[in-house]
Amino acid sequence: MTLGEIIGAFATDEPPLRIEAYDGSVIGPADSPLALRLKSEKALQYFVTAPGDLGLARAYLMGELEIVGVHPGAPHDVFGALEVFRKHMTRTPDARTMLRIARSVGLENLRVPPIPEQEVPPPWRRMLHGMRRHSKERDSQVVSYHYDVSNRFYSWILGPSMTYTCACYPSAEASLETAQENKYRLVFDKLRLQPGDRLLDVGCGWGGMVRYAAARGVHVIGVTLSREQAEWAREAIAADGLADLAEVRLQDYRDVPERDFDAVSSIGMTEHIGRRNYLDYFTRIESYLRPGGRFLNHCITRPDNSRVTKAGSFIDRYIFPDGELAGAGTVHAEIENAGLEVVHEENLRQHYAFTLRDWCANLVEHWAEAVEEVGEPMAKLWGLYMGACQYGFEYNKIQLHQILAVKLGDRMTWDVPLRQWWEA
């Protein structure tokens, strides 16, 4: 079998882009503006030994796979193309075809080639290292792995707001900074915060929500497990003259001693805590609130409530180890099970596609600086991840939901207006 025929055996239909192999074989549409090129036998080894997104990622990061037909510094095009390709490579060939593939490839090519240094061990090996999934120690290490890369690197991708969560676009043409400011405005207004109120921001990142609320007279505590995020946020708070109102701690959300907050915001945090811990998480949130307090949960979700919640191999091994997603209905139910009453919910899926579009464009603009700061493999990894996620939000593979809830007092009435009180 030619390499093109081998690749074609895994395809559910005609590949959406041209595939060129080092043996000269070609499959896919001849007029495709993009071509995926397997540069050597190792590219095939990666694909055969780890079919799907993990093998593709390994081959690309190790330089054995490339996309031609686009500018080399355009990762949003490259990685979007890889994600489209991966979605079409999900068929398992029958036994006879697999035998032919094995004979064509040769036993020497069925061994796993060297893997990129950024790849973390599979979940079962992480368990063997003695750290229970979602224990405080393991969560701290996972967060550090993802976020303590380089604040400079993140600033080139995220822009001046240093906000690593879905923005809210007043229009599709709005700038990323306008949309991020609008997101913080939306969360602030939904929580009905007033000067003098007390806000806890769980998983505060680089302190965007903390600084937005403090600038409007709210007393805010933000917590994160990322040392680099905490240091950056503290410097920004001091530079803004908000130290008397805002504090960012390097602290696990389970260790916050204060209570009776007027509001709690959780923006991009639920993805990290694990499906089995939802009830405990939201119960703890409930305990932080005063009667009548408000809670805003902003998180990535699946489009249904029946699928496996663990992340795919690529995301788990390279981006968010131990990350898990559930459907918005599941999140909604567990918030209610924790004793909070949900009063509003909305899906911002398309807004996250726009956000990722703009992050990818930022990476393109600062590609040379990013490569110099963190190395080409890491820059390629982030482009791959963001391009795949952009595809996921565009095609409803994943969603982004905001859920607003209230902690009822003894009178069991809302401490909020009867109808929506914020502008969309």
Side-chain angles (χ1 to χ4, degrees), residues 116-151:
E117 63 179 12
Q118 301 97 327
E119 184 172 318
V120 303
W124 64 269
R125 284 188 59 190
R126 302 200 289 266
M127 288 292 289
L128 289 179
H129 291 166
M131 290 183 291
R132 181 173 52 84
R133 190 181 184 92
H134 296 298
S135 64
K136 291 180 181 180
E137 181 186 10
R138 185 155 152 178
D139 280 353
S140 179
Q141 289 193 9
V142 165
V143 167
S144 179
Y145 168 83
H146 185 81
Y147 295 103
D148 291 340
V149 175
S150 161
N151 283 336

Side-chain angles (χ1 to χ4, degrees), residues 168-246:
C168 184
Y169 286 71
S171 69
E173 297 76 28
S175 69
L176 175 63
E177 289 306 303
T178 296
Q180 291 291 14
E181 177 85 1
N182 189 50
K183 185 268 299 295
Y184 287 132
R185 189 274 312 166
L186 180 64
V187 173
F188 186 92
D189 289 353
K190 282 183 175 181
L191 289 173
R192 207 164 177 252
L193 289 165
Q194 304 294 325
D197 281 352
R198 298 172 63 242
L199 169 68
L200 173 64
D201 187 34
V202 181
C204 67
W206 287 272
M209 185 66 207
V210 171
R211 290 183 291 124
Y212 184 94
R216 288 152 182 80
V218 175
H219 297 272
V220 194
I221 295 172
V223 295
T224 176
L225 290 176
S226 166
R227 188 173 301 277
E228 290 202 19
Q229 285 183 338
E231 290 175 355
W232 192 97
R234 289 164 182 165
E235 292 177 2
I237 287 169
D240 291 346
L242 298 172
D244 58 334
L245 289 168

Side-chain angles (χ1 to χ4, degrees), residues 407-424:
K407 179 176 180 176
L408 299 177
D410 293 338
R411 294 174 55 241
M412 304 302 286
T413 58
W414 296 347
D415 186 23
V416 294
L418 293 176
R419 299 295 296 166
Q420 180 174 319
W421 56 88
W422 62 88
E423 293 184 9

